[in-house]
Amino acid sequence: MPNAVEPTLIEPLFQALQKERYVIVCTIDHETSAPNASAISWVYAPAPDKVYFAVDQRSRIVANVQANPAMSIVLIANESTYSISGKAHVKVEKLENVPLKLAVIQVDIEEVRDVMFYGAKISVEPKYEKTYDAQAAAKLDQQVMSALKQA
C-alpha cells in the first residue's frame, strides 16, 4: 500500500510544529548542486500550508535557498517519518528581539509525504538536549520561538 501524500500538513503534524522540534532541513548546495542536510530545532508552522524556521544569517542554508528554493524538511512525528517539500525564501533577514543574528526561512508547502518504510512505525520520537548552559539555552529558545511566531 502506498504511503499517503497530502498538499498541506495534517493536523497531528501541524500540532507537532507548534513548538521547538528536531527536524532535518534538506536543501540543494549552492556551490556543488549536491544535497545538503542540516539538523535544526527552531521551527514553527504558522498555518498548515507553511513552515518557518530560524537559522544563523551566515548559514549555508540561507545561501542554498537563495540560489535554489526547492527544499524539504524531514519530520518524525505521528508514529511515522514525513518529508515536507516546497519552495523556500528568506522571509526575515534579521529576526528582532533575539540576541543572535538569525534569518527566518519560510517554506511554502507543496507536498507532505509519509516516507516511513512499509510495516513499521516510530515507537519513540527523537529527543535531544542542549549541552551548553541550560538556563541560557531555555531563554534563547523562548526568545527565538516567540519571534518566529510573530514573523
Side-chain angles (χ1 to χ4, degrees), residues 91-102:
K91 177 176 175 49
V92 178
E93 290 189 21
K94 166 80 171 71
L95 198 54
E96 298 298 322
N97 302 319
V98 176
L100 301 177
K101 293 179 180 177
L102 302 178

Side-chain angles (χ1 to χ4, degrees), residues 59-109:
S59 169
R60 194 161 195 90
I61 296 169
V62 174
N64 292 348
V65 163
Q66 289 171 328
N68 184 338
M71 67 163 303
S72 63
I73 299 170
V74 177
L75 170 65
I76 299 172
N78 195 38
E79 298 185 331
S80 196
T81 305
Y82 296 86
S83 176
I84 303 165
S85 300
K87 298 287 190 262
H89 67 276
V90 177
K91 177 176 175 49
V92 178
E93 290 189 21
K94 166 80 171 71
L95 198 54
E96 298 298 322
N97 302 319
V98 176
L100 301 177
K101 293 179 180 177
L102 302 178
V104 175
I105 307 294
Q106 176 176 321
V107 181
D108 296 314
I109 297 171

Side-chain angles (χ1 to χ4, degrees), residues 117-143:
F117 51 89
Y118 178 76
K121 71 176 185 174
I122 299 294
S123 57
V124 178
E125 292 184 10
K127 291 185 179 184
Y128 61 92
E129 59 185 65
K130 307 277 173 93
T131 57
Y132 55 100
D133 182 321
Q135 282 185 315
K139 181 179 178 183
L140 180 60
D141 290 345
Q142 190 277 326
Q143 290 172 321

Side-chain angles (χ1 to χ4, degrees), residues 5 27 36 57 61 87 133:
V5 178
T27 58
N36 182 275
Q57 290 175 324
I61 296 169
K87 298 287 190 262
D133 182 321

Side-chain angles (χ1 to χ4, degrees), residues 40-44 52-56 95 102-105 144 148:
I40 65 166
S41 64
W42 291 327
V43 60
Y44 170 68
Y52 298 164
F53 63 89
V55 293
D56 187 291
L95 198 54
L102 302 178
V104 175
I105 307 294
V144 173
L148 267 180

